[in-house]
Amino acid sequence: MLEYGKRGASGWQRPSLRQRAGALGLTLLVELAVLLVVLAFGGAKLRERIVSAAPTSVIFIPNPAPSSAPQRQAERAKGAAKPVVKPQRPLPATPPTPRAELPFVPMSRADLAASDISKLGTAGAPPGTSDTEGASAAAVGEGPGGVTLYNAEWVVEPSDAQLRGYLPRSVDRGSWALIACQTIAHNQVENCAQLGESPRGSGLSKAMRLAAWQFRIRPPRIGGKPMVGAWVRIRIDFSKGEGEE
């Protein structure tokens, strides 16, 4: 520890030359140490700045020579995307819808010849059958759609009670109705159509068409065989007027 002076009896004494020289040397050592520290850190930062400040190279690329206008147009035409047109396939033709035709019974020449009632007889009827069952039905005209019609053969004729619910309020004596129906299994008929009536406009043929689901009629026979599906002509005569017994 340095002492700069001593307090005497008469006050502070001035330090000696030796003491002042030692204090100056210590001060210089401290300043030198601080300078070294500053140079050490400052030098590292200076080297980083020098390294980072490397020279930048700039390369100049010359522009390509401009092409002529036709060449530019050709290049644009090649680069442009051409639309691809796909050929359209023609739609398949829709086949025409066949018209619903009423069924008919095909007949050969032999069947037509057998339907001639002038050549029919009872001798050809097979044993155990009636004359009607062994004979062939005769065609009596054409029905809806040109189908062949045969006269109807009743299994059981309809009763007045079966028809009354379909008849108009008044029915004149001598009136009649004519309809055509297709035979089906179990001696029944369907697909009935109106053919005629008397008096005209009386509504009797419509009434019989609606009531035909109750009719029991045998299908016509060709060569002794029942032709289920054949069409028959049904005529109903009203021999009594409404309210007569």
Side-chain angles (χ1 to χ4, degrees), residues 27 136 149 163:
T27 302
S136 297
L149 289 180
L163 301 180

Side-chain angles (χ1 to χ4, degrees), residues 5 11 27 30 46-47 53 61 67 72 74 80 89-90 106 113 117 134 147 155 162 183 187 192 205 207 223 231 241:
T27 302
V30 171
L46 181 60
R47 285 194 300 271
I61 301 176
S67 59
R72 289 198 300 268
R89 295 182 179 179
I117 59 175
V147 298
V155 176
Q162 290 176 318
T183 59
N187 296 326
C192 297
S205 60
W231 286 71

Side-chain angles (χ1 to χ4, degrees), residues 155-214:
V155 176
V156 178
E157 293 186 4
S159 63
D160 293 341
Q162 290 176 318
L163 301 180
R164 188 175 295 115
Y166 299 91
L167 293 174
R169 293 184 178 180
S170 61
V171 178
D172 298 334
R173 180 183 297 182
S175 300
W176 55 267
L178 188 65
I179 62 176
C181 298
Q182 185 181 16
T183 59
I184 58 176
H186 308 295
N187 296 326
Q188 294 179 308
V189 293
E190 63 179 4
N191 300 328
C192 297
Q194 301 168 204
L195 297 181
E197 62 186 6
S198 179
R200 189 172 183 179
S202 60
L204 292 176
S205 60
K206 179 180 179 180
M208 295 302 96
R209 177 176 63 83
L210 297 176
W213 65 273
Q214 307 174 88

Side-chain angles (χ1 to χ4, degrees), residues 63-167:
N63 294 329
S67 59
S68 60
Q71 291 180 353
R72 289 198 300 268
Q73 292 179 358
E75 292 177 357
R76 291 178 183 177
K78 291 180 180 179
K82 297 182 180 180
V84 179
V85 180
K86 296 183 178 180
Q88 296 182 355
R89 295 182 179 179
L91 297 177
T94 304
T97 303
R99 294 184 302 173
E101 297 183 357
L102 296 176
F104 65 95
V105 179
M107 299 181 65
S108 61
R109 292 184 178 180
D111 294 334
L112 291 175
S115 63
D116 189 356
I117 59 175
S118 62
K119 299 179 180 179
L120 295 178
T122 58
T129 60
S130 62
D131 295 342
T132 304
E133 293 177 351
S136 297
V140 293
E142 292 185 354
V147 298
T148 304
L149 289 180
Y150 302 91
N151 279 326
E153 181 183 352
W154 293 100
V155 176
V156 178
E157 293 186 4
S159 63
D160 293 341
Q162 290 176 318
L163 301 180
R164 188 175 295 115
Y166 299 91
L167 293 174

